[in-house]
Amino acid sequence: MTNLCQIAGLNLLLDRYPPGQKNRSLQAWDAADELLLNTVLPLLDSPQQLLLLNDQFGTLACALAQYAPVQSSDSYISQLATAHNFAQNQLDLTQISQISSLEPLPKASVVLLKIPNNHSFLRYQLRQLKQQLTADTQIFASAKAKDITPNLLAIFQQELGPTTASLTVKKCRLITSQIDSMLPSPAAPQFPLLWQADGFQLVNHANVFSREQLDIGARFLLQHLPLCAAGQHAIDLGCGNGVLGLALLQQQPELNLTFTDESYMAVDSARLTLASNRPDLLGQADFVVDDCLSRQADNSADMIICNPPFHQQNAVTDHIAWQMFTDARRVLKKDGRLRIVANRHLAYSEKLARLFGGCIHVASNAKFTILEAIKRK
């Protein structure tokens, strides 16, 4: 499938990230991008302060590069995808500013928002907009029509002010909102959120999976943690709020541990979780925002634990898990071990066997299986 995108009168080369995925049917753009661009481009007849939120693969940034937008994202991979797509289209990445979800939003006259699935994260972003912007700011948001429910529209009305939604265009709808500075924000959890689970005090930012309830896959892996020796280097890959890495450190306080995730909020949540439970061990931990293990050195880890995802936003895909396993094999030392938890229906044992020459079934229940692979050479 070609990666040529004809959108809003523009011809762009756009890839998902990493480029060259086997499943080329997954586009780097969608009808929600097109609806936003078709709406906003005719309005930009003079210089504007543009703010782009959740621009997953840089489609909006590429199309609007001449206006020097600010792109805010919780995803390091989204930032890498934007850089890749700028390079393909001979665009200068210095034309835009990329900031993480943990940084304050700048002033803006026009906001383009790709609506996230996580409504807690959406509320967090809308509150940021309300604190920073004025009633003169034009706010446009878009998503699939099936996702723009009365509840979603109520969130915009509660957090920002007057809100309308368009008719459906190519199975997507456009939301326009105006900020009402006199509107009080509704009572809702304030992030980062602190909560208790299995004797731990866990900390979650707004966009971190499994808030206020321990993920059942992680809970199962906590019952079957590997044993590590003092002085070894372990990695919590796709760390989320850091509960697995924290448990490893509780079990072996002389371990050196790296928490890594592609979400800025996840990595900071892991840092706050460790600080809330064992601040004395912060000096033995590194917190790295990364594309799987791209920033980790070859042959540097003794143990990697992982609860791999099987989707990227709305798309079900195994390429993230495959990259995690491939990176793990490179980063592990000889005789180093990778231990994962996964849904039973996923054929991860076959993938691990192809990469490592075999794998061990550690445990299983009705829904999950725990597998371990050892790097023999």
Side-chain angles (χ1 to χ4, degrees):
M1 177 177 177
T2 179
N3 62 350
L4 176 63
C5 169
Q6 296 177 319
I7 187 168
L10 302 172
N11 291 322
L12 297 170
L13 294 172
L14 298 171
D15 279 324
R16 281 183 172 242
Y17 196 90
Q21 291 177 21
K22 289 186 292 184
N23 189 352
R24 298 292 297 164
S25 65
L26 298 177
Q27 290 185 162
W29 68 94
D30 58 23
D33 292 310
E34 186 174 7
L35 184 54
L36 284 170
L37 291 171
N38 283 334
T39 301
V40 170
L41 278 170
L43 305 177
L44 302 178
D45 54 359
S46 61
Q48 302 276 358
Q49 295 171 296
L50 292 185
L51 174 61
L52 314 177
L53 297 175
N54 313 322
D55 180 18
Q56 189 180 357
F57 299 107
T59 300
L60 300 177
C62 286
L64 298 168
Q66 63 178 309
Y67 299 100
V70 176
Q71 183 195 55
S72 175
S73 175
D74 186 48
S75 169
Y76 177 63
I77 290 177
S78 288
Q79 294 179 337
L80 293 177
T82 298
H84 169 75
N85 286 325
F86 262 60
Q88 306 200 89
N89 290 282
Q90 289 80 53
L91 295 170
D92 185 352
L93 194 61
T94 62
Q95 290 177 265
I96 69 167
S97 300
Q98 291 184 307
I99 62 175
S100 82
S101 56
L102 297 173
E103 298 177 74
L105 295 180
K107 299 290 185 182
S109 54
V110 179
V111 176
L112 279 68
L113 168 66
K114 293 290 294 293
I115 298 172
N117 294 331
N118 182 339
H119 285 187
S120 292
F121 186 44
L122 175 62
R123 282 191 184 273
Y124 172 86
Q125 291 184 312
L126 295 181
R127 290 188 180 191
Q128 278 192 307
L129 291 174
K130 186 178 178 182
Q131 292 169 4
Q132 187 69 352
L133 307 178
T134 68
D136 295 330
T137 303
Q138 295 178 288
I139 300 174
F140 304 97
S142 188
K144 291 182 179 178
K146 66 180 181 64
D147 295 327
I148 299 183
T149 61
N151 179 56
L152 182 76
L153 293 173
I155 291 174
F156 277 83
Q157 291 166 344
Q158 292 164 4
E159 297 292 351
L160 295 182
T163 295
T164 59
S166 73
L167 298 175
T168 299
V169 180
K170 294 185 178 180
K171 298 184 179 180
C172 290
R173 296 177 72 190
L174 183 79
I175 292 175
T176 57
S177 288
Q178 185 177 15
I179 292 175
D180 179 359
S181 60
M182 303 302 293
L183 182 70
S185 294
Q190 297 297 310
F191 290 96
L193 185 69
L194 278 70
W195 54 287
Q196 301 287 332
D198 290 21
F200 300 128
Q201 180 167 273
L202 304 178
V203 184
N204 280 59
H205 281 290
N207 198 36
V208 178
F209 181 68
S210 192
R211 297 171 306 281
E212 301 183 77
Q213 181 175 313
L214 199 59
D215 170 63
I216 55 177
R219 186 184 296 276
F220 188 45
L221 185 51
L222 284 172
Q223 299 168 13
H224 301 278
L225 285 177
L227 295 176
C228 297
Q232 286 190 322
H233 176 213
I235 299 175
D236 184 352
L237 172 57
C239 63
N241 61 25
V243 63
L244 295 176
L246 170 62
L248 273 185
L249 280 170
Q250 293 276 56
Q251 182 178 278
Q252 175 50 267
E254 296 183 34
L255 190 65
N256 296 306
L257 195 102
T258 298
F259 295 86
T260 183
D261 202 292
E262 72 100 17
S263 161
Y264 287 92
M265 285 190 166
V267 171
D268 197 57
S269 294
R271 179 185 64 82
L272 293 171
T273 290
L274 184 57
S276 295
N277 292 271
R278 293 296 302 267
D280 56 309
L281 298 179
L282 279 169
Q284 291 170 222
D286 293 316
F287 302 90
V288 182
V289 178
D290 201 354
D291 172 18
C292 292
L293 296 172
S294 298
R295 294 181 170 183
Q296 298 298 311
D298 295 359
N299 307 306
S300 60
D302 300 283
M303 169 60 67
I304 297 173
I305 55 172
C306 183
N307 181 4
F310 57 91
H311 57 83
Q312 186 175 41
Q313 297 296 321
N314 293 322
V316 175
T317 174
D318 66 356
H319 82 269
I320 299 174
W322 183 251
Q323 183 183 348
M324 285 179 160
F325 303 158
T326 303
D327 282 5
R329 188 184 185 284
R330 174 183 59 80
V331 170
L332 284 169
K333 300 174 182 176
K334 185 178 182 297
D335 296 325
R337 295 176 290 156
L338 167 67
R339 184 170 292 195
I340 71 164
V341 61
N343 291 76
R344 288 174 62 101
H345 70 274
L346 299 172
Y348 287 168
S349 59
E350 298 173 12
K351 295 183 183 300
L352 293 175
R354 285 172 58 189
L355 281 171
F356 290 86
C359 74
I360 302 164
H361 287 76
V362 177
S364 61
N365 62 18
K367 188 169 183 178
F368 294 100
T369 185
I370 295 175
L371 306 171
E372 182 171 286
I374 302 173
K375 183 177 177 178
R376 296 301 188 187
K377 58 181 180 180

